[in-house]
Amino acid sequence: MKKKFLFIIFCTGFAIFSALASSFLGAMDIHWKDLFLSETIESRVFFELRLPRILLGLMVGGSLAWSGALAQGLFRNPIVDPGLIGITAGCALFAAIAIVLGSSIPFLHSIWSVVVFSFVGGVLFSFIIFFFAKSKGRTDVFSMLLSGIAVNAICISAIGVLSYFANEAQLRNLSLWNMGSLGGASWSLLKSFSCFFVLPLLVSPFIAKQLNVFILGEREATHLGISTEILKTIIILLIGVSVGTCISIVGNIGFVGLAVPHIVRLAIGQDYRYLLITTYILGGGLLCFADAICRVIIAPSEIPVGIATALLGAPFFLSLIRKRMHST
């Protein structure tokens, strides 16, 4: 128990450190004394650009990592993240539709069209996958995983078709969206989607105990009084809404949902009462820290944060596969 609390304190400290480092790192040097002066450019840059970006990084990273922990608990498989069940691909397809066809469809002219359309795509595909996995009143999680793989292939092919017909500007926008970035952060964006970002913090205490029982097996969970069908439905909808919100706002940021739950699980074990909240804290801290690095490494330009998370996460994923092969 002492080890768990020490690790939670460490993750909280790391998230605070990441937020502070991200506050003062960037193309413009900002001193903490500038924050108390309302008329300076530095204070305006901090309060209007960096602070909403930091908060967005903390909440998006936390939500993606939390969704990964839920997906791994649902499938009882450590090599699963929301990207494998097609939700991320659904977001990407609808974002591509908004970017490529936005100039010819009237209601896609708005600057919010990519965000809203991508969010709708993520939620819609989570329902589609859920529908294909449902048979005779029972949801088969392995059918859900296979359906997600098929949906991934369909979405990637459709995005390829849209890319073929896109012009140069649309291709550039599509590529930038796929690389992920926190550059679009603003107070209005945070205000509009804050309810989805705090959702994990609100529901975690109510599903943690059920997940602890569910990982023993569906039959065992049913015998212990858990309604597994309701639990699976709630979890897939939570993943769809949470990932759909994040990806629609910041683009495709991979491997946070895969790597962070593993790190936390190795440190404090499988108890979801601690795993979910710790994963949220560490995921937020890691994405915020990665964004700070991406902003300073070639300043004043910046590297899309999705590239950094992929470069760090892909080797971690390969090491997991290697470790799993040796353990079987």
Side-chain angles (χ1 to χ4, degrees), residues 33 92 99 118 197 227 250 271:
K33 292 179 181 176
I99 291 169
S118 176
F197 291 131
S227 177
V250 301
D271 191 339

Side-chain angles (χ1 to χ4, degrees), residues 83-87 89 129 142-153:
L84 281 180
I85 55 177
I87 296 173
I129 294 160
F142 293 104
S143 296
M144 194 183 294
L145 186 59
L146 293 174
S147 302
I149 293 171
V151 164
N152 263 323

